[in-house]
Amino acid sequence: MLERIRPLALLLGRIVIGVVFFAHGWQKFTVMGLDGTAAFFDSLGIPLAGAAAPAVAVLEVVGGIAFILGAGLPVFGPLLALNMIGAIVFLHAGNGFFVEKGGFEFVLTLAATSLAIAFSGGGPLAVDTLLRRRRASAPA
């Protein structure tokens, strides 16, 4: 039974985390705007805030879509985890653990989940898995 549920659990996890990243990245483009995001990053002391803001926004949008599809997981998982570690260092660490006080529990969870998804293989319902199967069955 566990083997039947595992693919659906991995798919659900990828979709949920992917949507969260996508929404946060999209917000940087639409709600705050890249200039507003850059100004916010600058106020936090993030180096090269003007370049970091669009880079983070693109990473979160593209990485979120990649998680949903299960594509490029070994690349996007660590990048998104590093992104969340940056959020912890520059914004959340000084606020303690709990999210209601601006703490790092949520972004820590996103970082750890990103790594878990990255190295899970994505499950049988992932583009990465389908590509691996196709390469393995292709004649040499």
Side-chain angles (χ1 to χ4, degrees):
M1 172 129 152
L2 183 61
E3 290 306 314
R4 280 196 242 156
I5 295 171
R6 183 174 283 131
L8 296 175
L10 285 168
L11 176 63
L12 179 62
R14 286 193 345 257
I15 289 172
V16 169
I17 298 301
V19 167
V20 169
F21 275 116
F22 178 87
H24 280 265
W26 190 251
Q27 177 186 40
K28 289 171 178 66
F29 284 110
T30 58
V31 176
M32 296 175 70
L34 290 179
D35 289 339
T37 302
F40 178 63
F41 281 13
D42 190 51
S43 75
L44 297 174
I46 294 174
L48 301 168
V56 166
V58 167
L59 171 62
E60 290 176 352
V61 167
V62 174
I65 292 168
F67 268 30
I68 292 166
L69 298 174
L73 298 177
V75 173
F76 286 105
L79 289 175
L80 289 167
L82 287 172
N83 180 35
M84 292 299 94
I85 291 168
I88 291 169
V89 169
F90 287 103
L91 178 59
H92 298 282
N95 299 322
F97 183 76
F98 295 105
V99 72
E100 73 265 4
K101 294 183 179 179
F104 59 88
E105 74 175 305
F106 177 63
V107 290
L108 180 63
T109 301
L110 288 174
T113 306
S114 295
L115 291 176
I117 290 171
F119 299 109
S120 72
L125 303 174
V127 169
D128 286 350
T129 302
L130 299 173
L131 292 174
R132 276 193 306 274
R133 285 184 193 152
R134 183 174 288 155
R135 277 187 241 127
S137 66

